[in-house]
Amino acid sequence: MNQRQIRSGDILYLTRSASPQFVRPIFVRVIRVLTDWHTYHGWCWVDVYQLDARGDAVDRRSLYVWCEGVRWRTAAPVLAARARRSVPRQEVSA
């Protein structure tokens, strides 16, 4: 049983374990938990920003999730790593 509470600022990874709507998993950053919206036991409504592969907010959504099924991330996702390229050194003449 998951005792952790969802809070503003949390980065969550939502899969089908959080709700059947997440056939394609997504990362979100929680804006707030909507505690005044009535739900079934164990479920909650959250206002979130959906994050893209770089961790930037791309959409604001209100989602209905099973609290036990969410996964926490401690940092924003970086799914598409940028390739570093080396720059050849140039000799400096004196």
Side-chain angles (χ1 to χ4, degrees):
M1 184 172 182
N2 189 354
Q3 298 296 326
R4 189 169 177 184
Q5 298 292 316
I6 300 171
R7 295 183 175 175
S8 298
D10 285 347
I11 304 293
L12 304 177
Y13 183 60
L14 303 177
T15 65
R16 289 188 69 131
S17 64
S19 176
Q21 66 184 310
F22 302 116
V23 174
R24 291 189 185 128
I26 62 172
F27 282 97
V28 298
R29 183 173 58 242
V30 178
I31 301 168
R32 65 186 174 132
V33 178
L34 301 167
T35 56
D36 54 336
W37 290 19
H38 298 285
T39 65
Y40 291 102
H41 180 73
W43 292 79
C44 66
W45 281 97
V46 289
D47 274 343
V48 299
Y49 289 115
Q50 184 171 342
L51 305 177
D52 66 7
R54 294 180 303 177
D56 296 327
V58 293
D59 196 13
R60 183 175 176 163
R61 301 174 66 180
S62 293
L63 302 174
Y64 188 60
V65 297
W66 184 49
C67 301
E68 296 289 325
V70 301
R71 298 182 193 167
W72 275 264
R73 294 292 182 250
T74 56
V78 180
L79 305 176
R82 293 183 181 150
R84 296 178 105 179
R85 62 183 175 144
S86 59
V87 178
R89 289 187 176 189
Q90 296 179 354
E91 290 187 25
V92 178
S93 53

